[in-house]
Amino acid sequence: AEHMSNYWNDSGLVKPLAERRRSRFWLFFPFLLLVALIGAYSAYWIYARAEIGLGVDKWVAEQRADGAVVEYESRKIGGYPFRFELDVVAPHYQPPNMASWEGERLQIVMQPWNWHHIIGRAPGHSVLTDRFGIRHTFDLDRKSAGSLSWTDAGVHRAAIELNDASALIDGHIYTAKGFSLNLAPRPDAADDLLVALQWEALTLDAAPVAAPWLGTDLQQSRLIAEVHNFYPAWIRSGGNPERLYDSLVETGGGVELGQALLNWGPLKFGAKGTVTIENGLANGSFGVRIDDPEGLKEALKATGNWRLQEQATVATLETASANGGFLMFTLKDNQIMVGTVVVGQLPGPAL
C-alpha cells in the first residue's frame, strides 16, 4: 500500500491543472492558426472579388459612355480559393467605329497573389465582324487561351496558345493544333520586340495558286526573331500591319532572325540573318537552306513545275545546304546580292 501511495503522489506523473491546460493549448495552436489564416484569406478573397466586380462595372459604364457596345446575358465571379474567374455568358463588344466581337463565353482568370497577370479564354464559337460587315468565325477548345502580364513600366509579355482551333477568315478555312505566339519587349531595350512563334500543325482549305506543289498541310514549324525599334514603328503605322514595314523604314530599326524553320508539305526550309535599317536603307545578311531536296523535286515534278528555273534554284540550295550550310545573301543599301551579283531589290518606304 505504501508503494501504491508513493506512485500516485509522484509529482512527475501528476501535473498541475494549469500546466496541463498550457500544454494542450500548444497542441491545438497550429490548428487554430490555420483556421485564422483561412478565415483571413477568405475575407480578403471576398473583398477582392467585390472590388473586381466594381471595376468591371466601372469599365462597362465608361465604354458605353464612349459609344461602345457592351452586352452579355450573365456575369459572375468565382474561382475560390485559388483564383478569381470572371465568367461572362454571350458577350458582345464593339468599340466605336471598329470591329465587333460576339462569343459564346468569355472567361478571364487572375491569381489572388498576382494582380499583374491575366489569362483569357473564349471557348466555343465566336464571330468577328469587321468594319466592312464581313464576318469571320472562330472555334476554340477549352485549352486555348491568351495571357497578358505587365509591370509598372508596361507590358511584360503577351501570348496566345491555341490547342485545337479552326477559323473561317475571308472565306477561307484554317485549322491549327499546338499553335503559340509569344511577344515581349526586350528587357534592356523596351522599344524592341521579341517574337517566338510555333505550331504543331496548320491546315489550309486550298494550296497557294502560285505554288500548288506546297499542298495544304504545314507541319511543325518555328520562328524566333527580334524586331528593333518595333514600338515606335508600330505607333507610326497607326497599328496597321500593312504599314509596319514602311514605318520601320521611315523610323529606322532592324530584324534579327535567330531561327526560322518552315515545314510546308515537301518544303523543309530554314533561314537566319540580321538586317539593319537606317536612313531608309537596309543592310545586313541572311541565309536560307533546304532539307530533303529529293522530296521537293518529286513534288515539283508531280505538279508540272519542274522547269529550268526551279531546277537551278533547287540545285543551288541543295549544294549550299550540304553539311548544315546556308546559301548566304548580302543586303547592301536595299540591294540583295549573292557574292557580287545583284539578284533583287527591297522596296523603299511607300509615298
PDB file of all heavy atoms in Angstrom, residues 28-42:
ATOM      1  N   PHE A  28      -2.982  22.404 -29.790  1.00  0.00           N
ATOM      2  CA  PHE A  28      -4.008  22.857 -30.740  1.00  0.00           C
ATOM      3  C   PHE A  28      -3.652  24.158 -31.453  1.00  0.00           C
ATOM      4  O   PHE A  28      -4.355  24.570 -32.374  1.00  0.00           O
ATOM      5  CB  PHE A  28      -5.349  23.045 -30.009  1.00  0.00           C
ATOM      6  CG  PHE A  28      -5.973  21.763 -29.566  1.00  0.00           C
ATOM      7  CD1 PHE A  28      -6.003  21.418 -28.221  1.00  0.00           C
ATOM      8  CD2 PHE A  28      -6.518  20.894 -30.494  1.00  0.00           C
ATOM      9  CE1 PHE A  28      -6.576  20.234 -27.816  1.00  0.00           C
ATOM     10  CE2 PHE A  28      -7.102  19.700 -30.093  1.00  0.00           C
ATOM     11  CZ  PHE A  28      -7.124  19.369 -28.749  1.00  0.00           C
ATOM     12  N   PHE A  29      -2.566  24.806 -31.045  1.00  0.00           N
ATOM     13  CA  PHE A  29      -2.219  26.113 -31.614  1.00  0.00           C
ATOM     14  C   PHE A  29      -2.040  26.082 -33.140  1.00  0.00           C
ATOM     15  O   PHE A  29      -2.563  26.958 -33.838  1.00  0.00           O
ATOM     16  CB  PHE A  29      -0.955  26.664 -30.943  1.00  0.00           C
ATOM     17  CG  PHE A  29      -0.495  27.963 -31.538  1.00  0.00           C
ATOM     18  CD1 PHE A  29      -1.162  29.147 -31.247  1.00  0.00           C
ATOM     19  CD2 PHE A  29       0.600  28.003 -32.410  1.00  0.00           C
ATOM     20  CE1 PHE A  29      -0.754  30.343 -31.809  1.00  0.00           C
ATOM     21  CE2 PHE A  29       1.001  29.198 -32.970  1.00  0.00           C
ATOM     22  CZ  PHE A  29       0.331  30.368 -32.665  1.00  0.00           C
ATOM     23  N   PRO A  30      -1.319  25.119 -33.720  1.00  0.00           N
ATOM     24  CA  PRO A  30      -1.191  25.109 -35.186  1.00  0.00           C
ATOM     25  C   PRO A  30      -2.540  25.038 -35.892  1.00  0.00           C
ATOM     26  O   PRO A  30      -2.745  25.699 -36.913  1.00  0.00           O
ATOM     27  CB  PRO A  30      -0.342  23.862 -35.459  1.00  0.00           C
ATOM     28  CG  PRO A  30       0.428  23.638 -34.202  1.00  0.00           C
ATOM     29  CD  PRO A  30      -0.519  24.035 -33.103  1.00  0.00           C
ATOM     30  N   PHE A  31      -3.464  24.240 -35.348  1.00  0.00           N
ATOM     31  CA  PHE A  31      -4.786  24.136 -35.952  1.00  0.00           C
ATOM     32  C   PHE A  31      -5.532  25.462 -35.863  1.00  0.00           C
ATOM     33  O   PHE A  31      -6.150  25.911 -36.841  1.00  0.00           O
ATOM     34  CB  PHE A  31      -5.579  23.032 -35.266  1.00  0.00           C
ATOM     35  CG  PHE A  31      -6.998  22.947 -35.720  1.00  0.00           C
ATOM     36  CD1 PHE A  31      -7.334  22.408 -36.956  1.00  0.00           C
ATOM     37  CD2 PHE A  31      -8.031  23.414 -34.907  1.00  0.00           C
ATOM     38  CE1 PHE A  31      -8.645  22.345 -37.381  1.00  0.00           C
ATOM     39  CE2 PHE A  31      -9.345  23.351 -35.325  1.00  0.00           C
ATOM     40  CZ  PHE A  31      -9.650  22.811 -36.564  1.00  0.00           C
ATOM     41  N   LEU A  32      -5.470  26.107 -34.684  1.00  0.00           N
ATOM     42  CA  LEU A  32      -6.138  27.392 -34.520  1.00  0.00           C
ATOM     43  C   LEU A  32      -5.542  28.458 -35.448  1.00  0.00           C
ATOM     44  O   LEU A  32      -6.266  29.278 -36.015  1.00  0.00           O
ATOM     45  CB  LEU A  32      -6.032  27.850 -33.059  1.00  0.00           C
ATOM     46  CG  LEU A  32      -6.717  26.954 -32.023  1.00  0.00           C
ATOM     47  CD1 LEU A  32      -6.403  27.433 -30.620  1.00  0.00           C
ATOM     48  CD2 LEU A  32      -8.224  26.925 -32.266  1.00  0.00           C
ATOM     49  N   LEU A  33      -4.206  28.423 -35.616  1.00  0.00           N
ATOM     50  CA  LEU A  33      -3.550  29.372 -36.510  1.00  0.00           C
ATOM     51  C   LEU A  33      -3.993  29.146 -37.952  1.00  0.00           C
ATOM     52  O   LEU A  33      -4.255  30.112 -38.698  1.00  0.00           O
ATOM     53  CB  LEU A  33      -2.031  29.232 -36.399  1.00  0.00           C
ATOM     54  CG  LEU A  33      -1.197  30.153 -37.297  1.00  0.00           C
ATOM     55  CD1 LEU A  33      -1.486  31.617 -36.959  1.00  0.00           C
ATOM     56  CD2 LEU A  33       0.288  29.835 -37.152  1.00  0.00           C
ATOM     57  N   LEU A  34      -4.110  27.884 -38.352  1.00  0.00           N
ATOM     58  CA  LEU A  34      -4.556  27.560 -39.701  1.00  0.00           C
ATOM     59  C   LEU A  34      -5.970  28.068 -39.940  1.00  0.00           C
ATOM     60  O   LEU A  34      -6.262  28.656 -41.001  1.00  0.00           O
ATOM     61  CB  LEU A  34      -4.485  26.054 -39.933  1.00  0.00           C
ATOM     62  CG  LEU A  34      -4.974  25.552 -41.304  1.00  0.00           C
ATOM     63  CD1 LEU A  34      -4.121  26.147 -42.415  1.00  0.00           C
ATOM     64  CD2 LEU A  34      -4.950  24.030 -41.352  1.00  0.00           C
ATOM     65  N   VAL A  35      -6.855  27.873 -38.959  1.00  0.00           N
ATOM     66  CA  VAL A  35      -8.240  28.345 -39.084  1.00  0.00           C
ATOM     67  C   VAL A  35      -8.265  29.868 -39.221  1.00  0.00           C
ATOM     68  O   VAL A  35      -8.999  30.428 -40.049  1.00  0.00           O
ATOM     69  CB  VAL A  35      -9.079  27.887 -37.880  1.00  0.00           C
ATOM     70  CG1 VAL A  35     -10.445  28.567 -37.883  1.00  0.00           C
ATOM     71  CG2 VAL A  35      -9.246  26.377 -37.891  1.00  0.00           C
ATOM     72  N   ALA A  36      -7.421  30.558 -38.446  1.00  0.00           N
ATOM     73  CA  ALA A  36      -7.379  32.021 -38.506  1.00  0.00           C
ATOM     74  C   ALA A  36      -6.868  32.492 -39.867  1.00  0.00           C
ATOM     75  O   ALA A  36      -7.397  33.442 -40.449  1.00  0.00           O
ATOM     76  CB  ALA A  36      -6.494  32.559 -37.388  1.00  0.00           C
ATOM     77  N   LEU A  37      -5.855  31.826 -40.378  1.00  0.00           N
ATOM     78  CA  LEU A  37      -5.314  32.202 -41.679  1.00  0.00           C
ATOM     79  C   LEU A  37      -6.327  31.973 -42.793  1.00  0.00           C
ATOM     80  O   LEU A  37      -6.476  32.799 -43.700  1.00  0.00           O
ATOM     81  CB  LEU A  37      -4.026  31.415 -41.969  1.00  0.00           C
ATOM     82  CG  LEU A  37      -2.810  31.786 -41.112  1.00  0.00           C
ATOM     83  CD1 LEU A  37      -1.652  30.840 -41.394  1.00  0.00           C
ATOM     84  CD2 LEU A  37      -2.402  33.230 -41.372  1.00  0.00           C
ATOM     85  N   ILE A  38      -7.030  30.837 -42.729  1.00  0.00           N
ATOM     86  CA  ILE A  38      -8.059  30.560 -43.741  1.00  0.00           C
ATOM     87  C   ILE A  38      -9.162  31.608 -43.678  1.00  0.00           C
ATOM     88  O   ILE A  38      -9.653  32.095 -44.700  1.00  0.00           O
ATOM     89  CB  ILE A  38      -8.629  29.145 -43.544  1.00  0.00           C
ATOM     90  CG1 ILE A  38      -7.560  28.096 -43.882  1.00  0.00           C
ATOM     91  CG2 ILE A  38      -9.862  28.934 -44.414  1.00  0.00           C
ATOM     92  CD1 ILE A  38      -7.991  26.676 -43.599  1.00  0.00           C
ATOM     93  N   GLY A  39      -9.550  31.974 -42.459  1.00  0.00           N
ATOM     94  CA  GLY A  39     -10.582  32.999 -42.310  1.00  0.00           C
ATOM     95  C   GLY A  39     -10.140  34.341 -42.868  1.00  0.00           C
ATOM     96  O   GLY A  39     -10.902  35.018 -43.566  1.00  0.00           O
ATOM     97  N   ALA A  40      -8.881  34.717 -42.577  1.00  0.00           N
ATOM     98  CA  ALA A  40      -8.369  35.993 -43.077  1.00  0.00           C
ATOM     99  C   ALA A  40      -8.270  35.984 -44.597  1.00  0.00           C
ATOM    100  O   ALA A  40      -8.634  36.955 -45.261  1.00  0.00           O
ATOM    101  CB  ALA A  40      -7.003  36.277 -42.456  1.00  0.00           C
ATOM    102  N   TYR A  41      -7.777  34.861 -45.150  1.00  0.00           N
ATOM    103  CA  TYR A  41      -7.662  34.769 -46.612  1.00  0.00           C
ATOM    104  C   TYR A  41      -9.038  34.809 -47.268  1.00  0.00           C
ATOM    105  O   TYR A  41      -9.228  35.463 -48.309  1.00  0.00           O
ATOM    106  CB  TYR A  41      -6.931  33.492 -47.002  1.00  0.00           C
ATOM    107  CG  TYR A  41      -6.875  33.279 -48.497  1.00  0.00           C
ATOM    108  CD1 TYR A  41      -5.948  33.946 -49.290  1.00  0.00           C
ATOM    109  CD2 TYR A  41      -7.778  32.414 -49.126  1.00  0.00           C
ATOM    110  CE1 TYR A  41      -5.916  33.763 -50.658  1.00  0.00           C
ATOM    111  CE2 TYR A  41      -7.753  32.225 -50.500  1.00  0.00           C
ATOM    112  CZ  TYR A  41      -6.813  32.908 -51.258  1.00  0.00           C
ATOM    113  OH  TYR A  41      -6.788  32.726 -52.609  1.00  0.00           O
ATOM    114  N   SER A  42     -10.005  34.116 -46.680  1.00  0.00           N
ATOM    115  CA  SER A  42     -11.362  34.119 -47.232  1.00  0.00           C
ATOM    116  C   SER A  42     -11.962  35.516 -47.223  1.00  0.00           C
ATOM    117  O   SER A  42     -12.624  35.923 -48.184  1.00  0.00           O
ATOM    118  CB  SER A  42     -12.252  33.153 -46.442  1.00  0.00           C
ATOM    119  OG  SER A  42     -11.761  31.826 -46.521  1.00  0.00           O
TER     120      SER A  42
END
